[in-house]
Amino acid sequence: MDVEVLDLPAPAVAVPGATGSVSVALVGSGGAGSMRAGEILLEAAAEAGLFGLMTRAMGPQIRGGEAAALLRIATTPVSSPDDHLDLLVALDWSNFVSFAAEIPLGPDSLVLADPAEGDAPGAVRASGARLLALPLKQLLRTVPGGHGNMIGLGAAATLIGLDAAVILRVLRHQLGRKGEAVLAANAASLSLGAEAMAAEPPLCRLATSDGAARWTISGNQATGLGALQAGVRFVAAYPITPATEVLEWLAPALAETGGVLVQAEDELAAINMTIGASFAGTPSLTATSGPGLALMVEALGLAVASEMPLVVVDVMRGGPSTGIPTKSEQTDLNIAVYGLHGDAPHLVLAPNSIADCLFTTHWAVTLAEQLQTPALVLSDQALGQSRAVIAPPAPLPQAAARLTAAPQEGGYLRYALTESGVSPMAIPGTPGGAYVADGLEHSERGTPSAQAAAHHAQLDKRAHKLALHDFAPHWADIEGEGEIGLLTWGSVTGAAREAAARARARGIRVRLISLRLLLPAQPSHMAAALAGLRGVLVVEQSHGRQFHKYLRSHYDLPPAVSVLSRPGPLPIRPAEILDQLLAWE
Amino acid sequence: MDVCPSLTAQDFKSGVKPIWCPGCGDYSVLTALTKAFAELNQPRESFALISGIGCSSRLPAYTSVYGLHGLHGRALAVATGVKLARPDLTVIAAGGDGDGLSIGGNHFLHACRRNVDLTYILMDNQVYGMTKGQASPTTDPDWRDSKLTPEGTGISPVAPLHLALASGVSFFARGFAGNPNELARLIVAAVRHPGFAIVHVLSPCVTFRPEQREWKNAVHQTDAEPSDTPEHALARFATDDGFTTGILFADNRPAFMPPRHERMSPAAIARRFGTGA
Ligand SMILES: Cc1ncc(C[n+]2csc(CCOP(=O)(O)OP(=O)(O)O)c2C)c(N)n1
Ligand code: SF4
Ligand SMILES: [Mg+2]
């Protein structure tokens, strides 16, 4: 077996112009409004019928810290940030160094900055990027009530060939309520930025298609929406970065759809509340990140043993411990798959794009309800806190309902041994259905039992119901044919997808396999997916290569396996994956 | 749910044989609870009895209502989820002093504050019975019969009444397992109280605290009206010996229940993500 483990240094900078897209970053201190400008630019892309992705790099400050909005805008759906930036607009250079490593500049990048802010930081100068003056302070003096971020936005839009009228439309929509004066000052700032770049040749001109329907959504919002559309009507919440927006989005959405969100005193309460609500018959969910998931693990075991449907969304961040709360990593795979004590079959799923947060969370709720067991959804900061412009998602399938028990005349067996392993669940209020849901091992009726036969029978039941379910075709996304496989999961799939596309454009045939279902493992489906592959490149964002070890323990891999893994927070770029594929050819 | 012909206390027993030691106070709590169920005159399926882990937390299996025997310390969190999801159910949580005040202490505090319409039967034997006799948060500092703290704990116990009052409980009664008729009345009053209602039950552990057999000589009923402000109750019970039974406190705060509207469909909410929305 040929296992080659590659530790990669910081991302390499690739050839620009490899794809039909443009990448822009807006950076500045907290008050400078770089995020706001980025959001408007993304919204304008949606208005223009383009596609886009906006990730963010943040300093550790709660408020007033530095921030970078990193956008990629394209004529086709965007799956990943690009390898390099085409344009960086610096509203100021305050604390730029704290996230400089996440701002990929190269000799082909253009950097706009105000000379009044002083010299560009060393990292910027060392990149060889071309520097161009945008005298923000000076220009601001000419518009009363003007905004530096809008000047920067006007300049950026002009350079990437985005029509100012579209941006004005977005501004009018968002600021309309604030009155004409506010709108006028913003519009004037935009024009100043545009005029300042009038003499510069545009970096690109993206073919817009005005009127094409688009959605702008973050991964955390898509997760919330997937849950809502699957019928979740109870959520217990304890805030934690980067999962809080899932909960904050769901709070009013649940209130409007007859559901309830309650803020719990801690994660122990949050998951136990969802167990209570699910016992009472309501599809239930909680969302957290690594530290919260660690607190919830005991209760996940209770949900397995008592066969209680529920969903826990874990928006992963850098770990262990408090780790890096604001940055992404794929390192809760081990705790999600192996964290429960006892033999505790459960579901672990992972969305592999922002749009897929909607589908996968919806599927997780459906599976949990159908199979009466907890489902963990491993999203991450890179998906959750990024926003994308996507085509309106396909309608979601009808969510499967829980198998419930009709009124009983007596002799109801909550944990009856059925062929499918799923037994009808009596919901409180159902006459004759009273039983005790129990984390103690139990008989079919639900009464505690420490007998070997009862334990074995119930272990079999809980394992069988997952083993017998057909998870095809959604267990994985399998794209393309060839002798080389790219085996990945979660947010890293975006970069892998783009790398595969670039490889194909060069005539290298690649099969991408991105696992959406991590537990229960699907050995026969995987064997079919791997058939004919000479080797696979495993791609993951983890120092301990958790995914590679997971694959080794559940699947037979082809003879040649290579691993591209790196911990967060630096994203894995398409070019790095492509380089590995090229090295294999 | 139809209102069914009156059920007796016996109808609310499951017939499953309890694991409790002969003479354990928890038998009487079961009797009092099933009497209370009968007195409340509701169908079996309208009740949910939620517990944690401990001898006392075994209660649900011995009744014939819907139950959930969950994790050590988490009964109140589960019960809160049940009630918020299904306000139509009558939800009762039950468990021991270790379950409710030690591992579950945070939920106790916040259940008092949150004031969801729940009843909580706190079965206090000042010991961890199930794990064979260790000190609990209500154990006196000089109790030396535990192998874990042979010199006594040396730390002062909490008084559930004072803790609950300070945390914002809405109703607090104390009963004694040796007087199941009074206890049944207290449980009924607690269930009828709209808000978070605690019934603190002195329930002897005859195995690890045999001296608690003497509690029958220590308890005394109050005939005073319940206090209706925490200030009044705290002043009145500042030097309470912990053996006063009856309804000690009841206020008339509205119970917490998040509002529910059903004015939007999820599909309509989804459309907000579209361009021009
Ligand atoms: C997480 C966890 N820690 C420890 C235990 C062990 N344990 C079971 S019951 C119990 C204490 C029970 O005491 P109490 O709640 O007072 O109930 P009692 O048995 O006295 O009625 C403990 C520590 C457990 N089941 N779960
Ligand atoms: S150990 Fe104590 S509390 Fe437990 S059943 Fe026996 S007497 Fe009751
Ligand atoms: Mg006890």
Side-chain angles (χ1 to χ4, degrees):
Chain A
M1 203 170 291
D2 166 27
V3 183
E4 187 197 348
V5 177
L6 304 156
D7 259 318
L8 288 170
V13 173
V15 221
T19 53
S21 73
V22 64
S23 293
V24 182
L26 295 127
V27 305
S29 55
S34 53
M35 282 299 169
R36 179 91 188 92
E39 278 164 13
I40 293 169
L41 189 54
L42 191 72
E43 203 56 57
E47 278 288 319
L50 294 163
F51 294 90
L53 175 68
M54 176 175 140
T55 59
R56 44 162 128 176
M58 305 281 266
Q61 291 88 341
I62 309 302
R63 224 168 231 272
E66 62 287 353
L70 299 143
L71 286 94
R72 187 178 185 191
I73 297 171
T75 49
T76 51
V78 179
S79 68
S80 152
D82 206 347
D83 306 311
H84 69 286
L85 280 172
D86 298 298
L87 175 64
L88 170 69
V89 181
L91 303 175
D92 56 58
W93 290 120
S94 110
N95 287 325
F96 180 81
V97 281
S98 71
F99 51 70
E102 291 158 68
I103 310 286
L105 291 170
D108 292 298
S109 311
L110 175 64
V111 175
L112 300 189
D114 189 347
E117 285 288 326
D119 278 351
V124 175
R125 279 177 283 134
S127 71
R130 183 163 69 97
L131 282 153
L132 193 65
L134 178 65
L136 283 171
K137 286 217 168 82
Q138 198 184 314
L139 291 170
L140 261 179
R141 275 186 230 119
T142 67
V143 245
H147 298 284
N149 63 339
M150 291 296 122
I151 298 178
L153 176 58
T158 303
L159 287 174
I160 65 172
L162 200 62
D163 196 349
V166 184
I167 300 202
L168 273 176
R169 224 163 49 228
V170 173
L171 272 181
R172 178 166 293 281
H173 191 73
Q174 297 194 354
L175 298 175
R177 265 171 284 139
K178 297 196 175 173
E180 284 303 315
V182 173
L183 199 61
N186 278 280
S189 308
L190 273 179
S191 311
L192 277 181
E195 282 156 23
M197 291 302 124
E200 271 295 309
L203 299 171
C204 64
R205 187 154 288 282
L206 300 169
T208 57
S209 52
D210 278 11
R214 294 287 179 263
W215 274 29
T216 309
I217 194 165
S218 75
N220 280 343
Q221 290 171 330
T223 296
L225 181 62
L228 192 75
Q229 292 198 299
V232 166
R233 289 297 178 273
F234 181 90
V235 171
Y238 194 78
I240 184 166
T241 305
T244 308
E245 299 89 5
V246 175
L247 303 163
E248 287 177 341
W249 186 84
L250 276 163
L254 283 165
E256 285 175 322
T257 51
V260 168
L261 180 140
V262 59
Q263 182 171 334
E265 54 271 31
D266 55 31
E267 286 88 349
L268 302 167
I271 186 154
N272 280 282
M273 285 176 178
T274 65
I275 287 175
S278 180
F279 168 72
T282 306
S284 302
L285 171 146
T286 182
T288 187
S289 191
L293 178 63
L295 289 179
M296 292 180 181
V297 166
E298 186 197 18
L300 284 169
L302 170 61
V304 170
S306 63
E307 303 198 43
M308 211 64 82
L310 64 89
V311 174
V312 176
V313 175
D314 171 15
V315 187
M316 296 182 288
R317 63 192 216 180
S321 191
T322 310
I324 309 182
T326 53
K327 297 182 180 181
S328 209
E329 202 168 70
Q330 294 184 305
T331 43
D332 292 349
L333 179 61
N334 280 351
I335 186 177
V337 171
Y338 306 110
L340 281 64
H341 68 271
D343 287 321
H346 61 286
L347 299 157
V348 179
L349 297 89
N352 63 21
S353 70
I354 291 175
D356 191 44
C357 289
L358 178 73
F359 175 83
T360 294
T361 312
H362 186 276
W363 193 36
V365 175
T366 301
L367 288 175
E369 290 289 318
Q370 240 178 336
L371 298 171
Q372 299 181 11
T373 200
L376 270 157
V377 177
L378 297 178
S379 176
D380 64 21
Q381 188 275 338
L383 294 173
Q385 294 192 323
S386 300
R387 294 174 69 74
V389 179
I390 56 175
L396 292 162
Q398 179 73 32
R402 194 185 295 188
L403 180 65
T404 55
Q408 306 280 313
E409 292 298 336
Y412 170 61
L413 301 178
R414 163 66 184 104
Y415 300 107
L417 304 174
T418 62
E419 207 166 309
S420 68
V422 177
S423 34
M425 179 172 180
I427 305 302
T430 308
Y435 75 100
V436 179
D438 210 322
L440 274 176
E441 193 54 282
H442 40 256
S443 65
E444 287 183 81
R445 189 181 150 194
T447 38
S449 171
Q451 292 182 22
H455 185 43
H456 207 134
Q458 293 295 321
L459 284 170
D460 279 347
K461 173 190 197 295
R462 296 188 291 256
H464 281 159
K465 64 181 180 179
L466 298 195
L468 293 176
H469 189 83
D470 186 4
F471 296 93
H474 304 304
W475 74 279
D477 284 345
I478 303 165
E479 297 159 5
E481 280 307 325
E483 289 190 342
I484 301 180
L486 261 177
L487 200 43
T488 191
W489 74 289
S491 64
V492 169
T493 303
R497 225 172 225 146
E498 176 153 346
R502 290 191 204 169
R504 286 179 206 123
R506 295 184 183 213
I508 304 167
R509 298 169 70 231
V510 176
R511 187 185 308 164
L512 174 93
I513 306 169
S514 171
L515 270 62
R516 184 176 285 106
L517 183 74
L518 295 147
L519 216 61
Q522 302 292 301
S524 61
H525 287 318
M526 183 66 113
L530 293 173
L533 291 181
R534 160 163 77 78
V536 290
L537 174 62
V538 175
V539 187
E540 62 172 313
Q541 196 178 24
S542 148
H543 185 267
R545 305 183 181 96
Q546 295 188 9
F547 182 58
H548 178 224
K549 289 171 186 161
Y550 155 88
L551 290 170
R552 288 282 179 206
S553 64
H554 290 93
Y555 298 116
D556 289 329
L557 299 182
V561 175
S562 186
V563 182
L564 194 169
S565 78
R566 182 172 60 223
L570 297 181
I572 294 175
R573 306 265 173 194
E576 298 175 79
I577 303 172
L578 185 64
D579 284 349
Q580 291 304 308
L581 290 174
L582 295 178
W584 262 25
E585 263 297 300
Chain B
M1 276 173 272
D2 312 316
V3 174
C4 50
S6 296
L7 297 166
T8 65
Q10 197 56 35
D11 293 326
F12 282 98
K13 292 198 173 168
S14 68
V16 173
K17 188 175 174 300
I19 58 158
W20 296 319
C21 310
C24 175
D26 296 349
Y27 284 102
S28 304
V29 181
L30 174 62
T31 300
L33 177 61
T34 53
K35 276 180 197 243
F37 281 144
E39 171 68 25
L40 287 160
N41 197 26
Q42 290 174 208
R44 278 185 281 234
E45 62 272 14
S46 67
F47 292 105
L49 179 59
I50 312 298
S51 69
I53 297 293
C55 299
S56 41
S57 290
R58 290 292 187 122
L59 205 58
Y62 310 141
T63 72
S64 62
V65 302
Y66 279 90
L68 192 152
H69 179 225
L71 299 177
H72 191 27
R74 314 297 162 213
L76 286 173
V78 174
T80 300
V82 175
K83 185 68 186 181
L84 294 183
R86 288 283 303 282
D88 58 306
L89 297 172
T90 299
V91 184
I92 299 172
D97 41 317
D99 194 74
L101 300 172
S102 190
I103 193 167
N106 196 33
H107 310 309
F108 181 91
L109 161 65
H110 292 281
C112 290
R113 290 180 56 222
R114 196 176 280 119
N115 196 32
V116 172
D117 186 14
L118 301 171
T119 299
Y120 180 39
I121 303 175
L122 174 62
M123 297 149 83
D124 189 356
N125 53 13
Q126 303 179 356
V127 76
Y128 289 180
M130 176 140 276
T131 46
K132 302 198 189 308
Q134 298 81 21
S136 88
T138 52
T139 304
D140 283 326
D142 57 355
W143 180 66
R144 294 190 162 78
D145 295 349
S146 165
K147 289 183 198 156
L148 212 51
T149 50
E151 306 293 326
T153 65
I155 54 176
S156 29
V158 296
L161 170 62
H162 297 168
L163 188 60
L165 286 169
S167 309
V169 75
S170 183
F171 174 105
F172 192 101
R174 192 183 289 128
F176 174 48
N179 190 349
N181 288 329
E182 182 201 25
L183 183 56
R185 279 197 305 278
L186 296 174
I187 294 172
V188 169
V191 169
R192 291 195 172 135
H193 179 85
F196 186 61
I198 295 177
V199 182
H200 178 209
V201 187
L202 304 170
S203 181
C205 171
V206 294
T207 301
F208 297 106
R209 302 295 311 257
E211 68 278 18
Q212 290 174 349
R213 289 181 190 274
E214 295 310 311
W215 277 358
K216 61 177 180 293
N217 302 316
V219 291
H220 48 94
Q221 258 174 324
T222 174
D223 14 278
E225 282 292 301
S227 300
D228 61 359
T229 66
E231 295 74 20
H232 185 270
L234 284 166
R236 179 173 153 211
F237 296 107
T239 56
D240 180 45
D241 63 0
F243 290 97
T244 312
T245 64
I247 303 175
L248 309 184
F249 173 78
D251 70 10
N252 49 16
R253 239 166 359 123
F256 170 78
M257 183 54 69
R260 278 184 162 74
H261 320 281
E262 205 157 350
R263 51 183 174 218
M264 295 289 287
S265 70
I269 290 179
R271 283 195 287 275
R272 292 176 186 162
F273 291 106
T275 34

